[in-house]
Amino acid sequence: MSGQRIEAMIEISAQAICDPGQPLETLAHRLAEQWPEAPALELTVALASAADAVQAVFDEAGQSGRRAQRVWRQAAMVAADLHYLALSGANAATAGDLLAFWRSEDDLKDTS
């Protein structure tokens, strides 16, 4: 795991949590787009680490605490997607692989 990359991911995630003007729904996608070569599990680590750091400062109360809870759920969903891909035999080694999976899932939803 690249220390500089993971630190940058955590910083971007923490800033997004603390800035109510930034959408959280696309946070994992934005990280994957910025670092497609990163190991996919680093997204989970970055999201969880940022949420933990924000909650350590602001607790679970208030807007930042509630937004951190949403990012905790995102981290869990990224991990769940990775597990699903592993069980299905798909290769999801990088964040780019995971991004491609999300895009294909979005395309399937658009045609439904």
Side-chain angles (χ1 to χ4, degrees):
M1 176 172 2
S2 165
Q4 289 178 328
R5 180 178 57 224
I6 196 76
E7 289 299 322
M9 286 181 176
I10 293 168
E11 182 177 339
I12 287 169
S13 299
Q15 287 174 354
I17 293 169
C18 294
D19 181 356
Q22 288 194 44
L24 295 178
E25 298 78 23
T26 59
L27 182 55
H29 285 79
R30 291 191 322 245
L31 294 176
E33 287 172 345
Q34 189 160 351
W35 290 282
E37 75 291 349
L41 199 51
E42 279 189 20
L43 298 178
T44 297
V45 172
L47 294 167
S49 296
D52 185 57
V54 169
Q55 284 189 324
V57 173
F58 296 107
D59 199 26
E60 292 181 23
Q63 187 171 27
S64 291
R66 287 189 300 275
R67 287 174 62 84
Q69 284 297 309
R70 290 174 54 198
V71 173
W72 271 115
R73 285 191 294 277
Q74 261 191 18
M77 292 306 299
V78 169
D81 284 346
L82 288 170
H83 186 65
Y84 168 79
L85 287 169
L87 289 176
S88 68
N91 181 17
T94 67
D97 296 333
L98 191 54
L99 190 59
F101 168 70
W102 290 332
R103 287 178 177 153
S104 72
E105 287 293 302
D106 288 344
D107 288 344
L108 290 175
K109 290 176 191 172
D110 290 342
T111 60
S112 299

